[in-house]
């Protein structure tokens, strides 16, 4: 075997390279998601409002020179836009355009989840790349609201394939719960980095180079991602799940999965409402230059990147339910503080707190969704991560589509107050995820395999490394071997007989 083929063979068996592929896919998806945030409002204003105004306005006479000694006329503040009524209507139109991606993703996600269970994760991942590339090119050359809307909706289809297949693939290659949590945190770091880069990159490129430039750069990077997927994932191979997946309808009746999905939805709804409304509110109240519209999201992006990587590890130790509950409370408080800002510097604190708190929730709930299906259903992850992505998209669909209408009816401060209070009110529900029980069906299957006799233990014995195994609601999957090794509370050894065990001791 040649060295190149040998490297490819080892790479395809490496969970770390799979993690790298998913990281890059989420990165590019979210750069495209946020790069349009500072571009679309001013692009539509320039192409529609100013063009219409110039076409109907008669030629103005030359201004007469001021009288000698008269004070000079004050220049209008830089960055302030005219047309209050147009800007008010644009809140709704921009919100609908941003929401179109999430609305399409909502419709496609369940079908992608079923598809991954039948043909595996590799082909859907590559389809996601292909559709994302087409969407990016369309964004570059779209000059009307309708074409931008279609490009955004097309992105939703590609994002559905990439997100559902990518997260399901990670859950399958990282069966250990602790390792899975860390891997999910790193993958969500790619999402965070995409959000971090997107808005500032879009605003700077749009102002100094032109509208098409950021999208053409992204299209080139997407081609590199496609080459990486061809090398690592073998997208021509059909590899269905070895375990029959639990139906989506059954998962949607599970109250613990619904609570986790709700936490993902409401926490992300806050930043989703900010995306279309914050730039326009800044234009109306702060009169900022164009580049500041994207930079306003920079603190949230940086803190989200820190939060996902930090709590991908810490959440499993402190309790994912507690991490998520604290995160949702901080999301609510941060949103309440956003309207208090009078300039871009006043947005740094609230936006940084918002991003960090959403990172806490996402890095806790994403691995918990995989753990819940291990514990209460069957270990096939496509459908549960379709539900997780649906919850995420619900926030990004309901948020922009209703946020603009609420701003027009009540004002931007009331919008922040409503969604902030909603997050604070939902936070206590995360307590229900503190100790989810195993399903009765799973318990019956396990009890038929072999009886397990619980042993008592003392903290002293556990501290000395005595392995004590008890039936509990925090179960793991692994094999029954002569001398299994416990890693992160789960047995790490070749699967010969499935057991659900909870370790209170060491190895």
């Amino acid at each position: 075997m040649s060295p190149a083929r040998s490297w490819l063979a080892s790479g395809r068996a490496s969970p770390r390279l799979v993690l790298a592929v998913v990281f890059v896919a989420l990165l590019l998806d979210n750069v495209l998601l946020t790069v349009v945030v500072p571009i679309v409002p001013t692009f539509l204003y320039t192409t529609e409002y100013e063009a219409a105004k110039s076409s109907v306005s008669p030629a103005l006479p030359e201004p007469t020179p001021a009288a000698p000694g008269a004070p000079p006329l004050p220049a209008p503040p830089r960055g302030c836009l005219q047309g209050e009524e147009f800007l008010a209507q644009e809140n709704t139109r921009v919100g609908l355009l941003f929401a179109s991606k999430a609305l399409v993703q909502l419709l496609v996600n369940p079908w992608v989840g079923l598809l991954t269970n039948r043909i595996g994760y590799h082909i859907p991942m590559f389809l996601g790349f292909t559709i994302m590339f087409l969407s990016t090119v369309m964004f570059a050359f779209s000059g009307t609201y309708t074409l931008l809307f279609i490009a955004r909706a097309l992105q939703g289809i590609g994002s559905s394939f990439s997100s559902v297949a990518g997260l399901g693939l990670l859950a399958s290659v990282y069966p250990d719960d602790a390792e899975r949590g860390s891997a999910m945190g790193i993958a969500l770091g790619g999402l965070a980095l995409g959000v971090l880069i997107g808005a500032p990159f879009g605003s700077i490129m749009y102002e100094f180079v032109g509208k098409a430039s950021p999208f053409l750069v992204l299209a080139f990077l997407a081609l590199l991602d496609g080459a990486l997927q061809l090398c690592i994932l073998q997208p021509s191979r059909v590899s269905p799940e070895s375990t029959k997946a639990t139906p989506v309808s059954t998962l949607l009746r599970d109250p613990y999965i619904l609570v986790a999905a709700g936490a993902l939805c409401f926490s992300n709804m806050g930043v989703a409402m900010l995306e279309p409304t914050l730039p326009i509110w800044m234009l109306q109240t702060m009169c900022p230059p164009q580049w500041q519209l994207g930079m306003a999201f920079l603190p949230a992006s940086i803190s989200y990147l820190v939060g996902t990587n930090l709590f991908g590890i810490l959440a499993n130790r402190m309790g994912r339910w507690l991490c998520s509950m604290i995160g949702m409370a901080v999301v609510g408080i941060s949103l309440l503080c956003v309207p208090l800002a009078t300039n871009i510097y006043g947005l740094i604190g609230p936006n940084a707190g918002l991003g960090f708190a959403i990172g806490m929730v996402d890095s806790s709930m994403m691995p918990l969704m995989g753990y819940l299906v291990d514990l209460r259903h069957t270990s096939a992850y496509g459908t549960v991560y379709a539900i997780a992505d649906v919850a995420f998209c619900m926030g990004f669909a309901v948020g922009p589509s209703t946020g603009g209408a609420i701003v027009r009816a009540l004002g931007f401060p009331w919008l922040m107050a409503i969604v902030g209070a909603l997050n604070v009110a939902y936070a206590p529900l995360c307590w229900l995820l503190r100790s989810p029980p195993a399903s009765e069906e799973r318990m019956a299957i396990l009890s038929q395999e072999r009886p397990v006799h619980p042993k008592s233990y003392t903290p002293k014995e556990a501290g000395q490394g005595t392995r004590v195994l008890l039936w509990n609601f925090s179960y793991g999957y692994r094999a029954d071997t002569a001398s299994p090794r416990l890693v992160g509370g789960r047995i790490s050894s070749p699967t010969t007989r499935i057991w659900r065990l909870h370790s209170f001791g060491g190895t």
Side-chain angles (χ1 to χ4, degrees):
M1 181 181 294
S2 65
R5 290 188 177 182
S6 177
W7 180 85
L8 284 177
S10 62
R12 286 165 179 164
S14 170
R16 292 185 179 182
L17 285 180
V18 172
L19 175 58
V21 169
V22 177
F23 179 94
V24 173
L26 293 178
L27 169 68
L28 294 178
D29 180 22
N30 285 275
V31 171
L32 182 59
L33 175 72
T34 55
V35 77
V36 300
V37 170
I39 294 176
V40 168
T42 49
F43 176 74
L44 292 178
Y45 181 88
T46 302
T47 57
E48 295 183 1
Y49 179 78
E50 291 186 349
K53 186 178 177 182
S54 62
S55 63
V56 299
S57 297
L60 296 177
E62 290 291 329
T64 58
L73 297 176
R78 185 178 187 270
C80 288
L81 302 183
Q82 300 175 352
E84 290 289 330
E85 181 61 26
F86 178 85
L87 291 174
Q89 293 177 355
E90 192 178 12
N91 268 305
T92 304
R93 297 175 71 230
V94 172
L96 289 174
L97 188 147
F98 287 174
S100 63
K101 182 252 187 191
L103 289 170
V104 171
Q105 204 166 338
L106 279 174
L107 300 175
V108 176
N109 272 343
W111 302 103
V112 176
L114 295 174
L115 183 66
T116 57
N117 293 323
R118 294 188 177 184
I119 68 173
Y121 304 109
H122 298 184
I123 296 176
M125 277 284 290
F126 193 77
L127 283 175
F129 144 73
T130 305
I131 299 172
M132 194 73 60
F133 175 77
L134 295 175
S135 171
T136 306
V137 173
M138 190 171 181
F139 265 118
F141 299 105
S142 295
T144 65
Y145 178 86
T146 302
L147 291 177
L148 289 172
F149 191 95
I150 295 172
R152 184 73 166 184
L154 187 62
Q155 183 195 354
I157 300 175
S159 182
S160 179
F161 280 94
S162 297
S163 300
V164 174
L167 294 174
L169 182 60
L170 277 186
S172 65
V173 299
Y174 286 95
D176 180 79
D177 188 55
E179 292 179 356
R180 180 187 296 166
S182 299
M184 291 284 183
I186 294 172
L188 291 174
L191 185 153
L193 189 60
V195 174
L196 169 66
I197 296 171
F201 173 70
S203 61
I204 292 173
M205 292 289 285
Y206 176 58
E207 180 163 359
F208 297 108
V209 184
K211 169 185 166 288
S213 58
F215 301 107
L216 294 177
V217 172
L218 287 179
F220 174 74
L221 295 177
L223 288 177
L224 297 181
D225 175 53
L228 182 63
Q229 290 191 28
L230 283 173
C231 294
I232 303 299
L233 294 186
Q234 289 181 285
S236 61
R237 186 181 65 182
V238 176
S239 53
E241 288 272 21
S242 58
T243 305
K244 184 179 180 181
T246 304
V248 176
S249 58
T250 302
L251 296 179
L252 289 175
R253 290 195 298 267
D254 189 321
Y256 299 97
I257 290 178
L258 290 179
V259 169
L264 289 170
C265 176
F266 291 120
S267 60
N268 284 280
M269 188 182 293
V271 72
M273 286 186 170
L274 278 180
E275 284 186 354
T277 57
L278 182 61
I280 297 175
W281 180 72
M282 291 173 65
L283 289 171
Q284 291 174 315
T285 60
M286 301 179 186
C287 304
Q290 168 68 28
W291 64 269
Q292 286 190 2
L293 299 181
M295 296 299 290
F297 293 92
L298 189 62
S301 304
I302 294 174
S303 58
Y304 183 86
L305 179 63
V306 173
T308 51
N309 284 277
L310 181 62
F311 287 94
I313 300 172
L314 289 182
N316 195 36
R317 298 180 181 178
M318 65 182 287
R320 289 177 179 141
W321 67 275
L322 179 61
C323 184
S324 183
M325 184 168 67
I326 295 173
M328 293 199 71
V330 176
V331 167
I333 295 170
S334 299
L335 289 171
L336 292 173
C337 295
V338 168
L340 303 179
T342 57
N343 53 46
I344 190 173
Y345 303 106
L347 292 171
I348 293 176
N351 281 0
L354 178 66
F356 190 79
I358 295 176
M360 293 176 68
V361 178
D362 287 358
S363 59
S364 301
M365 292 296 103
M366 284 298 187
L368 183 62
M369 295 289 263
Y371 175 74
L372 286 173
V373 293
D374 280 347
L375 182 66
R376 298 174 55 78
H377 303 282
T378 57
S379 297
Y381 305 103
T383 48
V384 77
Y385 282 110
I387 293 174
D389 205 41
V390 163
F392 186 84
C393 294
M394 280 288 289
F396 277 87
V398 175
S401 59
T402 60
I406 295 174
V407 167
R408 190 173 183 183
L410 302 176
F412 181 78
W414 273 107
L415 172 66
M416 295 295 100
I418 291 171
V419 70
L422 185 62
N423 274 271
V424 173
Y426 191 92
L429 291 179
C430 296
W431 185 85
L432 298 175
L433 300 173
R434 181 171 176 265
S435 50
S439 65
E440 295 180 2
E441 180 183 355
R442 289 297 220 171
M443 293 291 290
I445 293 173
L446 293 167
S447 63
Q448 292 174 4
E449 288 281 342
R450 179 176 168 186
V452 176
H453 303 288
K455 298 180 180 180
S456 61
Y457 83 110
T458 63
K460 180 179 180 181
E461 290 172 338
Q464 293 172 348
T466 303
R467 183 171 59 214
V468 183
L469 303 177
L470 295 178
W471 284 104
N472 197 282
F473 37 66
S474 299
Y475 298 99
Y477 281 137
R478 278 302 180 267
D480 179 12
T481 60
S483 57
R485 180 170 62 90
L486 294 182
V487 178
R490 307 178 70 169
I491 305 174
S492 177
S493 55
T495 302
T496 56
R497 177 175 290 184
I498 296 177
W499 288 97
R500 289 180 165 194
L501 303 170
H502 178 67
S503 171
F504 289 90
T507 54

